[in-house]
Amino acid sequence: MTIAARPGRAVGAPLRREGPAKLTGTALYTDDLVFPGGWYGTTIRSTEPRARLVAIDLDPAFDWSRVAVVTADDIPGDNVVASIAADQPILVPVGGEIRHQAEPVALLAAADRETLREARLRVRLRTEALPPVFDPLASTVEFARYDLAKGDVDAGLASADLVVQGTYRVGHQEQLYIENNAMIAVPRAGGGVIVHGSLQCPYYVHKALKRGLRIGSEQAQVVQAETGGGFGGKEEYPSMIGLHAALLALRTQRPVRMIYDRHEDLAATTKRHPAIVTHRTGVMRDGRVVAQDIDLVLDGGAYTTLTPVVLSRATIHAGGPYDIPNVRIRGRAVMTNTPPNGAFRGFGAPQSEFAAETQLNRVAEAIGMSPLDVRRRNVYRLGGITPTQQVLRGGVAGEEVLERAAEASEFDRVRVRTAESRGRRSPRDRTARGIGLALAWHGAGFTGSGEAKMGSVVSVELSGDGVVRILTASTEMGQGTKTIFPQLVAAELGLPIEAVEMAPQDTALVPDSGPTVASRTAMVVGGMTIQAARRLREAVEGRTGRPFATSYRDDAADHGATRIDQAFEPYPGVGFDDATYTGDAYPAFGWAAAVAEVEVDLDTFEVAVRSIVAVDDVGRVIHPVLCEGQVEGGTLQAVGYATIEEIKLLDGRYLNDRLQTYLIPTALDAPRIETILVESPFAGVPHGAKGVGELPMDVGAPAVVAAIHDATGAWIHDLPATPERIMAALVGIDPPGPPGISTVSPRRAADGDTER
Amino acid sequence: MSYHLTVNGTATEVAVPGMRRLLDVLREDLGLTGSKEGCGEGECGACTVLIDGAVAVSCLVPVCQVDAAVITTVEGLATPTTGLSSLQQAFLETGGAQCGICTPGMLLSGQAFLDSGAEPTDDAIREAIAGNLCRCTGYTKIVEAVALAAGRRDETGA
Ligand code: FES
Ligand code: FES
């Protein structure tokens, strides 16, 4: 066995480091933190999709002396939540434009919740309605646009034996971390604030505080509390909440708690972007796809937030993991008067790959080929060239994950069986079973030049008292960051894992290692951690002439502390040109396949997903248990996306903004998930890991939809595949409205104040 | 009003309004923040505790209803002498806790299932934790953890 000798591969899997604290209830999440004398904060939000804010009226009959009120006028710095663009205000100013429902307008704080509740009722927003835009196809405001081209699409389509066309729509999806968003701000003795919170990216909040409060780096301190799930949903909105809590804390000179309840979290915070994707695919009778013409529109909601980056990933992944000679992909992201959409596991790829995979299954059906064979024919192989002209030089495992999934699920055999039972089906049958397959790729780390621009730093130090410590801003929110980093460093230094500490994620202590997003933690930050550890080892061994493990304590005693700051070094041979949008869009790709088996109730059209075989190429497995956990969790989120998770909107407001109405899968709804991990390493990092977080999210939904088709013969083009949509497809009646788009109440429609 | 509760084996008295949620009494009056709030409306199970041995969502229980009751929270599962409970240990080994926010509630539903002596089939375990939402794990490793703890219980006859 070579496993133990591999860099980064621990001997045996250590137990999750913070596991005991989480299991005994002693892990402290934001709402568990106690700050004596703290007040409670709340947010006054708009109740219209678009309007001019004329005035904020405080009821004079109410005793306001017990309540702190903050409006846009009280913001010391720029009234902007710092992100890609400077368009989103911290609070809508009087005279300014409300651009979506549940937009923050004013903040209140009080010593107790009852006073706060009462005060909320005594605030009135006076507004003048403006016509909102809900239909992304009617929007005239574009946040971003990318055009990719390879070969000659028109010639390719003209030469094809058959051209298949299809339009696919997906709606919003809520991250639904079980811990709601929560931030607590505490005034700092030397000016500024300390913000404790549930968050993924301490330095995003840090940057937002500096700009909004006009304070220096030292005065803005951000500390991550134990975080009860993120999935992208705590990437950007914590900047907004952190600013709100900080404004109230500075006003009251007390700690202020902004703890969202589920309703507020659902109503106001970011969701997965709805998308409309249209495909024209040219295919030859032998299964070779010769042309893909793809048009993709993402609904960004009311502000730019992270939409341009989500769009670029959606666009680059839109063709799926297939080497097609002629490709044209046009991606646009537009503004609508709905709450801004943002990051959610997969970051644009699940939307566009659902469309790509469903389209390919329809193409296979049109030429009478099996879904497995059409993929074998077209999947990327070593040396394949992507639509950004990236040459795939290593770690290409599309074929392998496909074959492993087909084998483990006995795809061909089961498919023959389901086809037979479909042929024999009688009106008395109550259920139908089906099997479906999907394949995906997922670019590891940031898109394009993102990582190089970020300039991340990780530190590993040997303290004067002989303790090895990792300093990184990468956050733990369930994935196991606090376990795998010590594992990597311990392996590099030849120490037991217990000998390596993790510094807390506190901007006063750790450098900016970039955000905990894009599945970049294990690959990018993990790689830098190993590099830093290696340099530390070399420094110590150079001085002591003995192996690190036996000499580091002596070295610390003789020589004092040693700290290595490791900056990100671009991977050799990886380059991207932003101007032409060509080159290596990602340093590496992960590959995933899923086979789903479903049972469709032929009376109610409800779908039960029975089992999923998930095969994921993660480069290298650092910790098998944690890695499988990522695949299983991501797979179930994809099943929810495919079958039940949908947000309905009325006048731009989320209607099902409670946990009673926004449903996610329970243990009873969850399929049996079999995970198979494949290792096709990325050569640019010492440990070969390519990340795992997002991969499973890309394949689950198209696999389930393919299985529904196998069971019933109906193609579902819109997610989620609800009973209504399945019934509509089978019975030939009109489907329910497209997902992700707001309906307009009769009053509003009568006023004619909607641009559609 | 004042109410008498036995929480994790310790008799306590709290003087609070009768409609105060048991969850708030535990978290804010008794400082037992292991029980979590994920929805406040009985849907997520993060606030699950045992009341006289039965599973209950503490966000929907006014304290007046549990006067004289015996309450078990996550803080009552491990003991300083024996360390992690068998179920907690199983969660740790199988990877049943990721972000950990659902874990206290899961543990109590799992513990009630173990205490019931029911046969630990996959379906029965899933039924037992169906009121506890987890967004991280896909439930696979949670089910494994309960099964593992049940297996060890049966082996040792404990
Ligand atoms: S907080 Fe009690 S069930 Fe969700
Ligand atoms: S472990 Fe995160 S919600 Fe269950």
Side-chain angles (χ1 to χ4, degrees):
Chain A
M1 290 282 282
T2 55
I3 286 179
R6 233 184 243 161
R9 184 75 174 242
V11 187
L15 298 174
R16 175 183 285 276
R17 183 162 279 201
E18 78 291 356
K22 287 175 173 173
L23 286 159
T24 53
T26 53
L28 295 177
Y29 299 79
T30 305
D31 196 25
D32 303 336
L33 301 173
V34 175
F35 293 95
W39 279 24
Y40 299 90
T42 192
T43 312
I44 303 292
R45 299 176 180 278
S46 63
T47 52
E48 282 163 290
R50 187 170 174 227
R52 178 134 339 264
L53 180 63
V54 176
I56 303 169
D57 293 337
L58 303 183
D59 183 348
F62 184 75
D63 174 12
W64 289 98
S65 67
R66 297 177 295 146
V67 178
V69 183
V70 164
T71 67
D73 287 343
D74 303 309
I75 297 169
D78 297 338
N79 185 6
V80 155
V81 183
S83 182
I84 292 172
D87 58 347
Q88 187 174 21
I90 300 166
L91 295 167
V92 178
V94 170
E97 185 182 318
I98 290 166
R99 291 218 211 152
H100 64 87
Q101 297 266 15
E103 183 163 13
V105 175
L107 306 167
L108 308 179
D112 60 276
R113 296 196 189 95
E114 290 68 62
T115 308
L116 199 59
R117 243 192 308 270
E118 232 176 286
R120 278 187 69 93
L121 302 172
R122 308 301 187 95
V123 183
R124 285 264 171 285
L125 304 183
R126 262 191 288 141
T127 58
E128 273 166 24
L130 294 167
V133 181
F134 294 140
D135 182 354
L137 298 179
S139 174
T140 54
V141 181
E142 214 169 71
F143 289 136
R145 163 191 284 271
Y146 298 105
D147 291 306
L148 300 181
K150 172 185 170 187
D152 183 337
V153 163
D154 297 316
L157 288 171
S159 74
D161 288 337
L162 194 69
V163 174
V164 177
Q165 202 156 327
T167 296
Y168 308 90
R169 302 188 68 138
V170 294
H172 301 85
Q173 187 186 19
E174 161 63 31
Q175 296 86 0
L176 219 111
Y177 29 73
I178 301 299
E179 181 206 27
N180 293 310
N181 270 284
M183 306 289 279
I184 301 172
V186 184
R188 268 178 96 250
V193 279
I194 309 176
V195 171
H196 300 263
S198 178
L199 52 94
Q200 293 180 219
C201 312
Y203 276 94
Y204 278 7
V205 181
H206 188 252
K207 180 174 160 197
L209 292 174
K210 286 197 296 182
R211 180 158 184 192
L213 304 179
R214 190 160 292 134
I215 54 178
S217 283
E218 316 280 82
Q219 292 176 307
Q221 186 182 348
V222 180
V223 185
Q224 187 212 12
E226 199 70 67
T227 295
F231 317 116
K234 293 172 185 171
E235 175 169 351
E236 56 189 313
Y237 211 82
S239 298
M240 175 77 90
I241 309 170
L243 278 161
H244 290 168
L247 286 164
L248 287 168
L250 292 177
R251 159 59 61 88
T252 58
Q253 283 302 306
R254 296 168 172 280
V256 174
R257 313 172 70 87
M258 294 290 273
I259 315 288
Y260 282 12
D261 64 13
R262 181 62 63 186
H263 165 63
E264 182 168 27
D265 197 295
L266 273 163
T269 72
T270 55
K271 309 276 179 282
R272 186 186 299 290
H273 290 71
I276 306 163
V277 191
T278 302
H279 276 253
R280 274 200 306 159
T281 308
V283 64
M284 308 308 286
R285 289 264 161 237
D286 65 5
R288 265 179 309 129
V289 175
V290 292
Q292 285 177 317
D293 190 8
I294 304 169
D295 189 81
L296 164 87
V297 179
L298 286 190
D299 180 350
Y303 293 105
T304 310
T305 63
L306 297 165
T307 291
V309 214
V310 175
L311 177 69
S312 81
R313 187 175 282 274
T315 306
I316 292 166
H317 288 76
Y322 306 106
D323 201 348
I324 312 302
N326 306 294
V327 182
R328 178 167 58 208
I329 308 173
R330 284 178 288 215
R332 313 188 286 129
V334 298
M335 202 272 301
T336 61
N337 291 105
T338 58
N341 297 308
F344 187 170
R345 195 177 209 158
F347 212 67
Q351 294 95 313
S352 63
E353 296 202 69
F354 162 70
E357 286 298 278
T358 306
Q359 169 77 2
L360 186 64
N361 284 332
R362 292 182 52 241
V363 166
E365 183 186 41
I367 57 168
M369 190 176 239
S370 96
L372 182 53
D373 287 336
V374 82
R375 286 175 171 80
R376 284 181 173 138
R377 186 114 236 187
N378 294 290
V379 64
Y380 279 117
R381 293 180 169 81
L382 201 64
I385 299 174
T386 76
T388 65
Q389 328 298 339
Q390 175 169 2
V391 181
L392 300 176
R393 294 190 201 87
V396 183
E399 255 183 312
E400 186 177 353
V401 297
L402 179 66
E403 298 299 343
R404 298 280 299 270
E407 191 189 307
S409 63
E410 303 188 60
F411 181 76
D412 282 329
R413 213 176 53 80
V414 176
R415 198 160 166 274
V416 168
R417 222 170 52 212
T418 54
E420 279 167 12
S421 72
R422 210 171 43 242
R424 284 198 314 265
R425 189 156 303 150
S426 88
R428 286 200 313 276
D429 287 337
R430 299 275 62 94
T431 60
R433 294 188 83 115
I435 187 166
L437 172 75
L439 182 66
W441 59 336
H442 198 92
F446 281 134
T447 305
S449 49
E451 196 64 62
K453 284 186 193 144
M454 179 69 61
S456 304
V457 175
V458 166
S459 306
V460 175
E461 69 173 11
L462 171 60
S463 71
D465 50 1
V467 174
V468 176
R469 192 174 290 118
I470 303 167
L471 299 105
T472 167
S474 295
T475 50
E476 154 64 28
M477 46 186 164
Q479 344 83 304
T481 309
K482 289 180 179 169
T483 309
I484 64 161
F485 281 3
Q487 246 186 291
L488 295 173
V489 167
E492 182 60 37
L493 299 178
L495 296 179
I497 183 176
E498 302 74 35
V500 179
E501 289 188 359
M502 280 280 281
Q505 279 54 58
D506 174 340
T507 58
L509 301 175
V510 298
D512 185 357
S513 327
T516 307
V517 302
S519 310
R520 67 186 279 281
T521 301
M523 177 177 87
V524 180
V525 187
M528 291 160 64
T529 308
I530 297 173
Q531 284 177 295
R534 189 163 296 173
R535 284 172 52 204
L536 177 65
R537 178 165 57 75
E538 285 161 4
V540 169
E541 291 178 352
R543 285 194 292 263
T544 63
R546 285 184 288 142
F548 183 89
T550 55
S551 67
Y552 73 101
R553 287 206 180 84
D554 297 342
D555 181 73
D558 299 346
H559 182 265
T562 306
R563 172 167 165 158
I564 307 290
D565 295 322
Q566 177 67 45
F568 175 75
E569 291 165 2
Y571 303 119
V574 175
F576 191 79
D577 181 353
D578 287 306
T580 59
Y581 224 71
T582 56
D584 300 313
Y586 301 94
F589 285 87
W591 307 83
V595 175
E597 288 194 60
V598 304
E599 195 170 283
V600 181
D601 185 310
L602 295 172
D603 295 317
T604 64
F605 300 106
E606 273 165 336
V607 176
V609 182
R610 292 286 171 212
S611 67
I612 293 209
V613 173
V615 185
D616 292 74
D617 158 41
V618 303
R620 278 277 192 252
V621 179
I622 300 171
H623 190 301
V625 173
L626 297 177
C627 193
E628 280 174 14
Q630 287 294 298
V631 174
E632 290 158 1
T635 298
L636 188 58
Q637 290 180 358
V639 167
Y641 190 42
T643 54
I644 55 173
E645 294 184 38
E646 178 168 17
I647 296 224
K648 307 239 199 240
L649 297 91
L650 178 67
D651 298 332
R653 180 172 79 80
Y654 300 145
L655 277 180
N656 47 330
D657 53 5
R658 319 184 70 93
L659 208 42
Q660 281 171 356
T661 47
Y662 185 88
L663 304 182
I664 63 167
T666 68
L668 290 174
D669 307 320
R672 308 304 186 262
I673 302 168
E674 178 186 345
T675 302
I676 298 171
L677 299 173
V678 167
E679 297 185 305
S680 180
F682 168 46
V685 286
H687 56 325
K690 298 193 290 198
V692 56
E694 296 172 290
L695 264 179
M697 192 71 222
D698 294 349
V699 272
V704 167
V705 164
I708 293 171
H709 173 263
D710 188 50
T712 64
W715 282 117
I716 305 300
H717 291 234
D718 297 350
L719 287 187
T722 54
E724 294 80 11
R725 290 202 173 94
I726 296 172
M727 181 168 89
L730 283 172
V731 182
I733 57 169
D734 273 351
I741 191 166
S742 180
T743 51
V744 178
S745 62
R747 177 190 61 79
R748 222 164 240 291
D751 290 353
D753 66 353
T754 303
E755 287 169 6
R756 291 213 50 167
Chain B
M1 266 304 278
S2 118
Y3 300 91
H4 298 266
L5 312 173
T6 302
V7 181
N8 301 328
T10 306
T12 21
E13 183 178 344
V14 287
V16 295
M19 288 312 288
R20 188 162 168 80
R21 306 183 306 172
L22 175 59
L23 179 61
D24 297 331
V25 171
L26 293 170
R27 289 181 52 86
E28 297 180 359
D29 303 328
L30 302 178
L32 296 172
T33 56
S35 304
K36 307 300 181 191
E37 173 161 0
C39 68
E41 50 187 33
E43 294 292 326
C44 72
C47 63
T48 301
V49 298
L50 302 185
I51 300 176
D52 294 329
V55 169
V57 280
S58 62
C59 69
L60 292 188
V61 176
V63 68
C64 61
Q65 280 182 9
V66 291
D67 194 23
V70 173
I71 316 280
T72 307
T73 72
V74 68
E75 289 91 344
L77 294 178
T79 67
T81 44
T82 56
L84 295 183
S85 73
S86 152
L87 184 59
Q88 287 169 321
Q89 181 62 32
F91 264 70
L92 189 59
E93 290 171 27
T94 61
Q98 289 190 20
C99 82
I101 197 79
C102 72
T103 309
M106 280 291 180
L107 285 168
L108 289 157
S109 292
Q111 191 59 49
F113 175 77
L114 292 176
D115 293 346
S116 75
E119 202 192 323
T121 62
D122 191 81
D123 285 341
I125 295 172
R126 285 173 187 269
E127 188 74 50
I129 59 166
N132 296 78
L133 295 177
C134 174
R135 191 57 152 172
C136 296
T137 62
Y139 305 103
T140 310
K141 296 195 186 314
I142 294 175
V143 174
E144 272 173 31
V146 177
L148 178 64
R152 287 177 181 164
R153 171 199 62 190
D154 297 344
E155 260 169 39
T156 60

